[in-house]
Amino acid sequence: MQPASRSTAATALLCLLLAGCAGPEPGRAGSEPGQATSEPTASPSASPAPDPEEVRVDAALAGLDRRRQIAQLVVVGVPLTDLTPADALITDHGVGGIFLQGRSTASADVLAATTRRWAEAAPAIRPWVAVDQEGGAVQSLSGPEFPELPRAVDQGRLPAEELAALADGLGASLASAGITLDLAPVADVVPAGSEAGNAPIGAYGRQYGGTAAEVTAAAGTIIDGLAAHGVTATVKHFPGLGRVRENTDESRDVTDTVTTRYDEQVAAFGTLTRSPAEPFVMMSSATYPQIDLAGPAAFSPVVITDVLREQLGFDGVVISDDVGAAQAVQDVPVGERAVRFLAAGGTLVLTVDAGTVPTMVDAVLARAEADPGFSATVDDAVRTALTAKTRAGLLSEE
């Protein structure tokens, strides 16, 4: 046992000697006993460049008092037969947009002169100029540059290349008149054989087909054709009017007892809103008890926030259907219509009755001043609205 012990001791001594002669540990060059060692430090990374989009939105917000911020959330209908009231709505009230209501045979040049005047009256934050240009019975503009459009159901039957050409022509004609927002296409799915009993959509052939696949293919083409000319599309009427019997413009308590949050027409909106063109979504004012028993979809946090925003992942602009004159909302006080829509997760309040604007703005302002949570919701809506305007080229770049 002794030879092994002597060998072990010798080995230990050799290790000690080698350790004493060893150089400094890797990464600790030049260190001496008792001397502090400086560790290598990472160079500070450069701050990310500010997002130009956010910079423009911040600049726009800085130039608006609270009332004018809220006014940016209102789109107001003005009759095409007399557009002069829009001037005061833009300059005096600072509304977010003008909806050209009714029918007109005016040329694109005549309309462009008016829309250009509106843009010049509010150069920092230009208003949306919206129109209903679907086809068939719903075609607001029919002047020389606006050819007659077939009904959506007939558009949906066109060969793909013909529909793409129609969509491109639609976008070009609207852009030539200074239109920046089309309240189209309809994304409602009307089951085959039920068209006649579906008063708002099927009875007029406003649907692109009887299945979600047919609707998304055709409506997606329309969205792309509009976007190619700088016109923002609006898919409507979420979560779908394809199964109701009555029209929310003309009847109260319009109800869809069948559609659930996982229905194919709900899924169709999800498909269309993922378009790179970033369309708006227009809400239905019908009630969907299989989704939310509480009341109209336009006032439902379940429908707008839980289903549209969270389930389908949509974070863009949600616009109401008309909440000024439509019969479906007449049981709700005027100011509460705007408050409830925004509180549910909406962005832009559409009213065809210009006389409701002061009441709506007052109600939203009062609620925001009294309720910090609602005030934060309004902040989010204003930022969403202005971000959409930035992307559409409606905010000043200066």
Side-chain angles (χ1 to χ4, degrees):
M1 297 295 295
Q2 288 181 349
S5 297
R6 287 196 295 270
S7 173
T8 300
T11 301
L13 178 60
L14 178 61
C15 289
L16 288 171
L17 291 172
L18 289 173
C21 298
E25 295 177 23
R28 302 177 65 89
S31 63
E32 296 292 341
Q35 179 180 350
T37 303
S38 59
E39 298 287 353
T41 57
S43 59
S45 58
S47 299
D51 184 334
E53 188 175 276
E54 291 185 6
V55 170
R56 286 197 292 275
V57 170
D58 289 341
L61 282 169
L64 298 172
D65 63 21
R66 191 55 161 164
R67 176 173 289 277
R68 291 242 167 185
Q69 288 180 11
I70 293 168
Q72 281 294 311
L73 304 180
V74 183
V75 177
V76 190
V78 177
L80 272 160
T81 52
D82 180 13
L83 295 173
T84 54
D87 293 78
L89 287 165
I90 293 167
T91 57
D92 297 347
H93 295 278
V95 298
I98 299 297
F99 166 53
L100 308 185
Q101 181 186 353
R103 300 290 183 269
S104 173
T105 57
S107 70
D109 287 344
V110 168
L111 291 169
T114 300
T115 58
R116 190 161 48 246
R117 184 178 75 243
W118 295 341
E120 291 169 352
I125 308 176
R126 296 188 288 284
W128 293 104
V129 180
V131 71
D132 259 333
Q133 196 81 342
E134 297 176 18
V138 185
Q139 180 172 342
S140 294
L141 306 181
S142 56
E145 295 82 8
F146 305 101
E148 181 178 352
L149 296 167
R151 300 177 306 163
V153 68
D154 297 319
Q155 293 179 35
R157 295 169 180 152
L158 293 173
E161 63 276 10
E162 290 185 29
L163 182 60
L166 180 150
D168 184 75
L170 172 61
S173 65
L174 294 180
S176 70
I179 309 300
T180 52
L181 178 64
D182 191 6
L183 302 184
V186 167
D188 308 314
V189 179
V190 182
S194 68
E195 297 88 350
N198 178 235
I201 310 299
Y204 294 98
R206 297 172 67 195
Q207 77 281 11
Y208 284 95
T211 67
E214 292 170 336
V215 168
T216 54
T221 300
I222 300 299
I223 292 170
D224 292 343
L226 292 169
H229 297 277
V231 180
T232 299
T234 307
V235 292
K236 59 186 186 184
H237 309 77
F238 188 80
L241 284 176
R243 294 198 181 98
V244 302
R245 297 192 62 81
E246 297 176 309
N247 190 331
T248 54
D249 287 339
E250 302 166 356
S251 303
R252 304 188 187 195
D253 302 320
V254 178
T255 302
D256 174 343
T257 60
V258 177
T259 297
T260 72
R261 65 192 297 160
Y262 301 108
D263 192 88
E264 70 163 343
Q265 65 176 337
V266 173
F269 283 91
T271 299
L272 292 169
T273 55
R274 287 191 287 273
S275 166
E278 299 180 308
F280 291 2
V281 173
M282 176 179 282
M283 294 303 301
S284 161
S285 294
T287 298
Y288 300 79
Q290 294 290 338
I291 303 176
D292 184 9
L293 282 167
F299 303 143
S300 169
V302 175
V303 177
I304 300 180
T305 298
D306 295 356
V307 180
L308 178 57
R309 294 210 180 278
E310 295 179 2
Q311 178 182 316
L312 299 183
F314 181 67
D315 62 359
V317 171
V318 177
I319 185 170
S320 74
D321 203 344
D322 170 46
V323 291
Q327 285 299 305
V329 299
Q330 292 306 304
D331 291 337
V332 180
V334 170
E336 276 296 299
R337 297 171 201 170
V339 170
R340 289 177 60 181
F341 174 70
L342 295 174
T347 314
L348 296 179
V349 179
L350 172 64
T351 174
V352 300
D353 182 356
T356 63
V357 173
T359 302
M360 289 182 174
V361 173
D362 286 345
V364 173
L365 181 59
R367 174 70 179 274
E369 290 176 342
D371 182 345
F374 180 71
S375 182
T377 296
V378 170
D379 289 341
D380 289 343
V382 175
R383 184 167 286 277
T384 298
L386 293 181
T387 298
K389 283 194 170 183
T390 300
R391 293 171 182 172
L394 299 179
L395 287 193
S396 171
E397 298 187 7
E398 297 179 0

